[in-house]
Amino acid sequence: MNLDGQRVLITGGSSGLGQRLVVVFCELGARVAFNYASNEAGAAETERAARAFSGDVRAFKQSVLDVAGLRASIGTLEAEWGGIDVLVNNAGISQALPVALLEEEDWDRVFDVNVKGAYLTTRAVLKGMIRRRGGRILNIGSLAGVRLIEAPVHYAASKAAIKGLTESLAKEVGRYGITVNSLAPGLLEGGVAAGLPDYRLHAYLQHCPLGRLGTFDEVARLAAFMVSDANRYMTGFTLVADGGL
Ligand SMILES: NC(=O)c1ccc[n+]([C@@H]2O[C@H](COP(=O)([O-])OP(=O)(O)OC[C@H]3O[C@@H](n4cnc5c(N)ncnc54)[C@H](OP(=O)(O)O)[C@@H]3O)[C@@H](O)[C@H]2O)c1
């Protein structure tokens, strides 16, 4: 498996899974651009680590909700690279709150970043993919969106929406040779899972056949396979990587 010459955009690359996705994709031969909202030190660390493998890594400090900014940065990439082959919608947020304490603004913020951000970024990249009659879109979902596990309801609902988005978009754009899939990890070592109460970690580990959390590297390498030419006939699918839960 390799990503030689692939032109890739990854959202949310300044920490956690997104950071690892950028580095692993560069290691496998891709040219990678990523965006992030605020963590400049994290973005600089991503660039530093990725440059060990690739001379073409670009960072945009830009929210996935910034429509004009997305248009500009994707326009720049299209002009300089000649197109974008792969989009990974990874940017996501969560909050460990019981539903009774959820404010309407909390709900909106999580849905805005996790769902609307994926829609806006996809819309901006899709036009070029349709013109070129090909592309790969990978949406990072979550086990919380496909199975009954204890998770904040707004987060779980937003990740279930990602599954629906993946399926309907796959149906719509398959005719252009574009595949759309989702990768739904279980609990990983850090990122949005950081700060979970001990009892929740314990419950997860108790039921997980592999008896451990997943790593960003494991999920990033699976993501690379899913968008690579080794995986050409899968679309509309949500692949769960959860240690067997
Ligand atoms: N960690 C887990 O256990 C786990 C499990 C299942 C699924 N996931 C999914 O994996 C994805 C990555 O999560 P993670 O655990 O790596 O979390 P993380 O370490 O908090 O990283 C989230 C990334 O998203 C970026 N981001 C947040 N809001 C953004 C916005 N408005 N525009 C652009 N970028 C934005 C962050 O940038 P800034 O920091 O610069 O704001 C950061 O780079 C998410 O979709 C999450 O739901 C994670």
Side-chain angles (χ1 to χ4, degrees):
M1 180 185 59
N2 69 66
L3 297 177
D4 277 343
Q6 295 294 304
R7 300 161 295 187
V8 179
L9 174 62
I10 297 172
T11 67
S14 60
S15 66
L17 178 58
Q19 184 170 70
R20 200 61 209 149
L21 283 164
V22 175
V23 176
V24 166
F25 278 36
C26 285
E27 181 191 328
L28 294 172
R31 286 185 269 180
V32 180
F34 69 92
N35 61 26
Y36 64 101
S38 59
N39 182 356
E40 291 178 2
E45 172 55 25
T46 305
E47 284 191 82
R48 190 201 59 74
R51 289 236 157 82
F53 302 106
S54 166
D56 200 349
V57 190
R58 298 159 193 229
F60 295 94
K61 186 179 177 191
Q62 175 178 88
S63 171
V64 287
L65 299 169
D66 174 0
V67 175
L70 282 172
R71 196 180 302 126
S73 59
I74 288 165
T76 301
L77 292 173
E78 296 253 353
E80 292 182 10
W81 282 351
I84 295 171
D85 304 300
V86 176
L87 166 65
V88 183
N89 285 309
N90 162 78
I93 57 173
S94 186
Q95 271 174 312
L97 276 179
V99 69
L101 298 181
L102 266 187
E103 299 295 340
E104 195 178 334
E105 298 76 45
D106 297 322
W107 179 279
D108 288 344
R109 199 167 35 245
V110 165
F111 260 76
D112 276 354
V113 176
N114 295 7
V115 187
K116 191 174 179 185
Y119 145 67
L120 290 173
T121 312
T122 299
R123 188 181 65 172
V125 169
L126 204 52
K127 288 176 186 141
M129 288 183 172
I130 290 173
R131 255 197 324 273
R132 289 186 302 279
R133 293 290 189 272
R136 305 291 174 102
I137 298 173
L138 182 67
N139 299 317
I140 302 299
S142 168
L143 185 65
V146 292
R147 299 261 174 79
L148 198 168
I149 60 167
E150 188 174 344
V153 295
H154 56 342
Y155 178 74
S158 74
K159 291 301 181 174
I162 285 296
K163 183 170 183 290
L165 186 156
T166 299
E167 291 169 4
S168 56
L169 185 63
K171 181 76 177 161
E172 184 176 321
V173 301
R175 75 195 71 167
Y176 306 114
I178 299 167
T179 67
V180 188
N181 291 294
S182 177
L183 175 50
L187 272 187
L188 307 178
E189 292 172 346
V192 296
L196 281 185
D198 278 353
Y199 82 90
R200 279 205 48 207
L201 281 182
H202 184 72
Y204 185 91
L205 295 176
Q206 200 179 15
H207 295 288
C208 175
L210 291 184
R212 64 174 177 82
L213 303 184
T215 69
F216 293 131
D217 192 67
E218 287 168 332
V219 175
R221 288 181 194 281
L222 188 52
F225 163 73
M226 289 180 78
V227 301
S228 76
D229 276 346
N231 182 37
R232 297 164 64 94
Y233 199 52
M234 173 194 286
T235 196
F237 190 63
T238 293
L239 184 61
V240 174
D242 63 353
L245 208 74

